[in-house]
Amino acid sequence: MLDIRDLRKSGEALQTRLALRGYTLDLDAFNALDAERKDADMRSQSLQAQRKQTAKQVGDLVKSGMPVEQAKAQVAQTLATLDAELDQEVARAEAVQARIQAFLMDIPNVPHESVPAGRDESDNVEVRRWGTPREFDFAVRDHVALGESLSDGAIDFERAAKLSGARFAVMTGTVARLHRALIDFMLDLHSSQHGYLETYVPYMVGPDALRGTGQLPKFAEDLFKLEGERELYLIPTAEVPVTNLFADEILEPSLLPQRRVCHTPCFRSEAGSHGRDTRGMIRQHQFEKVELVQLVNPEQSDAALEQLTGHAEAVLQALELPYRVMTLCAGDMGFSAAKTYDLEVWIPSQNTYREISSCSNFRDFQARRMQARWRNPATGKPELVHTLNGSGLAVGRTLVALLENGQNADGSITLPAALRPYLRGAERIGV
């Protein structure tokens, strides 16, 4: 959420920056709401002053010769009228403030000054590449065909559909172990080499947590809401519970930076994605992800984004998977992000790179919604932290990339050396 003081002071500049991402900031509507709020506040203050003055009039009326009881009754009648008016103004002020809050919650984050202009993914800018896509001397099969044909395990979409419908998968045997091995490998790498604290969180959260990271109220249709006595949602990503661990807290400087790594299932309705990636595991309602989250001193967040992105890249490099890094243009960034790097892994069957991780700096956008703060030692006062996160990595898409890039003519899959200790030393599967 943006700082309302910035809207009042620099509304036109923010309007220009937000236009880069295709958002039209209605300054006239905001100014009208803010003026109405100010009028309600001033009217309330005036009525409170009148009430205070009226309450003192009993003695003056008695001194002028009015009987005590009559003076009390007259003042009480005036106070009752003022109280009714004051209640109306307080209610009006609260209603206007709620409308202002809803207005602010609908505004996306302002793009960082280094973010390129552009409308969609075609305007994203490539930063670098790592690895060279393999050239095959046989017909490449996609992960669906590979998963169905492996001799010691399988990816079964038909049985998953029988259980839950489309966009789900059942994995068995070596494929299931490979999936689990990827999770363990990623957690070990980030916790032992990159300095993240492994964290376990609930897979269900309340609406306040989703408002804090920006999924609500704007993206409710993308969530799975549970029925029951409490308002709970299945998490779309570990970003939501992990970042919200620090909501409504003031962290001492010694507790920053916070670096957390967390593995969870993720649940997404994929609203609006009908017809996209309907085959296989690229886009599912339920998938696993290892998430990296950082809370940092605001002066360090730009450097922290580069560092976090490097941590996600390290997974791909260790797994020997070719990839490229893209800076997202303003029009392609997520709602809460100020700057985002996408890591795109090479998918042989599609002959293209596909997103496997988004690494974003949210600056103080999420922190303001959550009221996550730190105590600045220079001033001794609480200030908003900056939050960042990124996939380190999406496990299902990593599995897809491993199967396709490691496939052999005989149907087996060659495993990268870094993963073999997690699979009993096996160099291949499917043989």
Side-chain angles (χ1 to χ4, degrees), residues 12-288:
E12 291 185 359
L14 290 175
Q15 188 179 52
T16 300
R17 292 294 299 166
L18 287 166
L20 294 174
R21 59 185 306 162
Y23 181 84
T24 301
L25 177 61
D26 192 342
L27 279 179
D28 290 339
F30 170 73
N31 290 331
L33 283 172
D34 208 30
E36 187 176 354
R37 175 206 57 79
K38 184 177 181 181
D39 179 71
D41 287 345
M42 292 178 63
R43 178 63 177 155
S44 296
Q45 292 170 10
S46 175
L47 288 168
Q48 288 170 347
Q50 290 180 51
R51 192 186 189 287
K52 185 176 181 180
Q53 189 63 35
T54 300
K56 299 177 180 179
Q57 291 178 355
V58 173
D60 294 337
L61 291 173
V62 171
K63 287 180 182 180
S64 68
M66 183 179 290
V68 174
E69 294 304 318
Q70 183 180 348
K72 288 182 178 180
Q74 180 174 315
V75 169
Q77 184 177 3
T78 304
L79 287 174
T81 300
L82 289 172
D83 284 344
E85 293 181 22
L86 182 58
D87 287 344
Q88 289 180 352
E89 289 304 319
V90 169
R92 180 165 77 100
E94 290 176 349
V96 173
Q97 189 59 45
R99 288 162 61 195
I100 290 174
Q101 186 73 2
F103 183 91
L104 293 174
M105 294 285 272
D106 188 62
I107 303 173
N109 203 353
V110 177
H112 189 274
E113 56 268 18
S114 64
V115 169
R119 292 180 299 176
D120 53 38
E121 62 182 14
S122 64
D123 295 316
N124 295 340
V125 177
E126 184 174 321
V127 178
R128 57 184 171 272
R129 293 190 182 197
W130 185 92
T132 302
R134 176 183 167 194
E135 294 185 5
F136 294 86
D137 57 5
F138 57 90
V140 171
R141 292 190 289 175
D142 69 7
H143 68 282
V144 177
L146 290 168
E148 291 173 345
S149 66
L150 288 172
S151 60
D152 52 357
I155 307 175
D156 192 330
F157 297 100
E158 289 188 10
R159 285 191 170 91
K162 180 171 64 175
L163 296 173
S164 308
R167 297 189 187 270
F168 290 91
V170 170
M171 290 175 279
T172 56
T174 301
V175 176
R177 288 197 298 273
L178 176 58
H179 186 265
R180 173 163 52 89
L182 284 169
I183 296 167
D184 289 343
F185 167 71
M186 294 177 193
L187 288 173
D188 286 349
L189 178 66
H190 295 310
S191 60
S192 66
Q193 296 187 30
H194 298 155
Y196 290 81
L197 178 64
E198 186 171 347
T199 304
Y200 174 86
V201 294
Y203 300 162
M204 296 177 283
V205 295
D208 286 346
L210 291 156
R211 279 190 285 266
T213 43
Q215 283 78 15
L216 285 179
K218 195 172 182 64
F219 304 103
E221 65 176 2
D222 293 325
L223 303 170
F224 284 111
K225 185 176 182 180
L226 304 178
E227 293 184 359
E229 295 181 359
R230 298 166 57 191
E231 186 177 359
L232 291 171
Y233 297 79
L234 294 173
I235 60 170
T237 166
E239 165 199 350
V240 177
V242 176
T243 311
N244 276 278
L245 290 173
F246 303 96
D248 299 312
E249 292 190 13
I250 301 173
L251 299 172
E252 294 302 321
S254 60
L255 296 177
L256 292 181
Q258 283 286 329
R259 296 191 184 100
R260 301 295 182 104
V261 59
C262 183
H263 158 250
T264 65
C266 305
F267 305 92
R268 300 184 185 179
S269 71
E270 295 293 349
S273 67
H274 303 293
R276 297 178 59 198
D277 297 312
T278 55
R279 178 176 169 84
M281 295 180 64
I282 295 293
R283 193 179 301 275
Q284 296 195 295
H285 292 309
Q286 175 186 312
F287 60 96
E288 309 286 310

